[in-house]
Amino acid sequence: MADNVSPKVTVIGGGMITKIQILPTLYYMQSEGLIGEIGICALNTPPLIDLQQDATCKDAFPGATFTPYPDPATTGPDEIFPDLYKEVLAAAPKGSIAVIAVPDHFHYAVLKEALANDLHILIVKPLVLTHAQAEEIEKIAYEKGLIVGVEYHKRFDDRNIMARDSYRAGRFGEFRLAQAHLHEKWYYRDSNFQNWCTCENSDMFTYIGCHYVDLVAYVTGLKPTSVSVYGIKDKYPNGNDGYLWTDARVIWENGAVLSVANALGYPNAGPGGNSQGMVMWAQGPDDGTLMFHQDQYRGVKHSYVVAGTDPGDTTYAEPNPDYYRLLNLGGDVKVPVGYGHRSVSYIINACRKAAATDDLAERQKLIKRFDDEGIMATPANSSYNELVVEAGRKSILSGGREVAIDYKTNTVDFTN
Ligand SMILES: NC(=O)c1ccc[n+]([C@@H]2O[C@H](COP(=O)([O-])OP(=O)(O)OC[C@H]3O[C@@H](n4cnc5c(N)ncnc54)[C@H](O)[C@@H]3O)[C@@H](O)[C@H]2O)c1
């Protein structure tokens, strides 16, 4: 049985998202007594050593540690442990929390294992890659009274909550057209992405375009009904092929359309961590309405003595204060702020609420509440994302043909 006051958190996946967003929030929650021991399992030791030595976390949370699996103290860097996560999840106390942050195509296998071991779950987006898998996960989790929260952090950006409340109060009228883009910096091509974000597994729309699809659904409450994605193949430094430039058109149930451009193509010399934003045009009874979100430039301009040492750091920079920052507010540890932190802590707290009761009916009531509120993405309230991924993959692999989503059968097929 889990310690239901401060449950253990077992993280599977020790890569980029664990380092910049998940682990600092877990360390902070641990310092507040909200969670217990932290364990992190990766495929091999190099990412774990990287996390252990991370200067940002060392500075913000002096003395904080996690239990690494495999242990770098006794394991060489070339040894690979593809199945160790099963043992690590089996050893976690029942009713404690699993965080899943492995590559997209591996989510399903780890989710099944975490559910089989009775763990509440935070999983980074996308939940899984097919609707059938999402339904299966929803069913198993509900039957066992286990929380599954999907980490779409744009849902916790204040501007998007403002937009959602105003849209749903009718202040924007009806959504007609939207254009969004999210381009990551060129140097991402050099990272571990080149080993998994390849043409056969994923593409830039599936990987990051999904954020703006989820966001439009989150704001408007509408469902996407067809998708066409045109992708340009490009070579990673290791020679693998990836769809590194994509342009998607998503039609919604009211006939509105969202176009989304995505790429690993924002210049390394660009002043932000990436380039992103969305404009939505809508209509009221007698006039047009407008929602304009510049999502990387948040009004801050810095010019430093020298650039930082991380890839993509520039001397002139436009840092985003809203995503994830560790602030010195006095005290022993730094304090995380931003929508990245709010998102992770919200889902971990949802898991903690469920971990606090042995009563299955009570936990199922809690799951239904999260499903109905629609703030936290769950398998039940966000599986349109899996249908969009299925449709998008079918479309991109056929050169951009339009693929429709059928909500009666939860299947996708070419429109002609
Ligand atoms: N904006 C976002 O919401 C956002 C941003 C970045 C990443 N992500 C998601 O996070 C996930 C991970 O992305 P990342 O950038 O951290 O990737 P990454 O490649 O940096 O890290 C992947 C990690 O998974 C581990 N792993 C792989 N196979 C494993 C196995 N068999 N057992 C245990 N660990 C294993 C690797 O060791 C590595 O530590 C992806 O699903 C990605 O889509 C989401």
Side-chain angles (χ1 to χ4, degrees):
M1 181 64 205
D3 171 347
N4 54 21
V5 179
S6 48
K8 177 174 178 174
V9 177
T10 306
V11 184
I12 309 297
M16 184 261 284
I17 196 73
T18 298
K19 178 168 159 175
I20 66 169
Q21 188 187 334
I22 294 170
L23 186 56
T25 287
L26 294 182
Y27 277 155
Y28 182 72
M29 294 185 84
Q30 189 181 51
S31 77
E32 295 276 287
L34 300 173
I35 60 168
E37 189 199 335
I38 300 168
I40 305 184
C41 174
L43 188 57
N44 50 13
T45 56
L48 298 169
I49 295 169
D50 193 34
L51 293 175
Q52 286 174 325
Q53 295 178 348
D54 180 48
T56 306
C57 272
K58 274 187 165 173
D59 170 59
F61 308 103
T65 56
F66 62 87
T67 309
Y69 309 97
D71 185 353
T74 53
T75 315
D78 298 328
E79 293 177 70
I80 304 275
F81 298 84
D83 290 324
L84 179 61
Y85 76 94
K86 294 182 185 170
E87 285 169 42
V88 172
L89 290 173
K94 291 197 184 316
S96 67
I97 301 172
V99 170
I100 301 175
V102 291
D104 299 3
H105 59 282
F106 191 39
H107 286 190
Y108 175 71
V110 185
L111 272 165
K112 290 274 299 250
E113 206 66 30
L115 291 173
N117 286 292
D118 297 306
L119 304 176
H120 301 286
I121 297 168
L122 176 155
I123 177 152
V124 295
K125 66 80 209 157
L127 173 68
V128 282
L129 296 177
T130 69
H131 188 273
Q133 291 174 345
E135 267 187 329
E136 185 189 347
I137 298 299
E138 176 193 342
K139 188 166 176 293
I140 302 173
Y142 185 74
E143 279 170 8
K144 293 187 147 198
L146 297 169
I147 294 282
V148 178
V150 193
E151 207 275 315
Y152 280 99
H153 41 253
K154 287 193 182 301
R155 289 174 172 234
F156 292 85
D157 189 346
D158 293 351
R159 61 183 54 185
N160 296 328
I161 298 169
M162 284 167 62
R164 182 178 201 262
D165 289 345
S166 297
Y167 189 93
R168 289 174 185 231
R171 297 193 66 201
F172 287 108
E174 180 145 23
F175 162 42
R176 289 296 186 208
L177 302 175
Q179 286 185 338
H181 78 280
L182 203 175
H183 297 188
E184 299 287 5
K185 276 193 160 174
W186 183 271
Y187 74 82
Y188 271 49
R189 292 164 183 239
D190 296 317
S191 74
N192 193 33
F193 268 66
Q194 58 188 323
N195 296 318
W196 65 270
C197 201
T198 45
C199 291
E200 63 283 10
N201 291 327
S202 193
D203 54 79
M204 281 309 113
F205 173 69
T206 300
Y207 172 61
I208 39 176
C210 60
H211 282 294
Y212 280 101
V213 177
D214 185 66
L215 186 60
V216 168
Y218 177 70
V219 167
T220 64
L222 294 165
K223 281 192 177 147
T225 54
S226 90
V227 182
S228 51
V229 188
Y230 176 73
I232 301 171
K233 279 188 191 172
D234 209 345
K235 288 263 181 239
Y236 280 108
N238 67 359
N240 284 342
D241 281 322
Y243 285 113
L244 303 189
W245 308 85
T246 59
D247 186 56
R249 193 166 80 153
V250 181
I251 312 281
W252 298 76
E253 61 184 312
N254 68 341
V257 59
L258 161 73
S259 74
V260 197
N262 298 111
L264 292 191
Y266 180 54
N268 284 341
N274 52 36
S275 173
Q276 54 174 314
M278 180 172 76
V279 189
M280 181 185 282
W281 296 272
Q283 81 182 68
D286 307 308
D287 203 355
T289 65
L290 175 72
M291 188 190 297
F292 178 92
H293 287 186
Q294 160 95 264
D295 284 341
Q296 89 284 340
Y297 177 59
R298 308 254 175 162
V300 180
K301 298 182 182 191
H302 286 177
S303 199
Y304 306 114
V305 177
V306 287
T309 51
D310 285 334
D313 280 349
T314 48
T315 308
Y316 169 75
E318 294 171 356
N320 176 352
D322 298 341
Y323 164 56
Y324 203 103
R325 293 286 151 188
L326 290 160
L327 301 184
N328 178 359
L329 297 179
D332 297 331
V333 298
K334 287 193 174 172
V335 178
V337 294
Y339 57 89
H341 167 67
R342 286 196 293 279
S343 173
V344 173
S345 58
Y346 187 100
I347 299 172
I348 296 289
N349 278 326
C351 294
R352 289 179 61 244
K353 276 194 190 106
T357 173
D358 284 333
D359 184 335
L360 175 64
E362 222 177 286
R363 294 203 305 272
Q364 289 176 329
K365 213 165 116 191
L366 196 60
I367 292 172
K368 284 282 177 216
R369 203 190 87 197
F370 286 119
D371 290 344
D372 293 345
E373 285 174 349
I375 301 299
M376 180 172 86
T378 66
N381 72 21
S382 73
S383 58
Y384 53 82
N385 283 316
E386 275 66 42
L387 289 166
V388 169
V389 167
E390 279 188 63
R393 290 297 297 164
K394 198 173 173 77
S395 176
I396 200 167
L397 292 171
S398 65
R401 285 174 65 189
E402 185 180 9
V403 176
I405 297 171
D406 181 342
Y407 284 98
K408 286 197 194 81
T409 55
N410 288 320
T411 54
V412 305
D413 207 353
F414 295 117
T415 51
N416 50 51

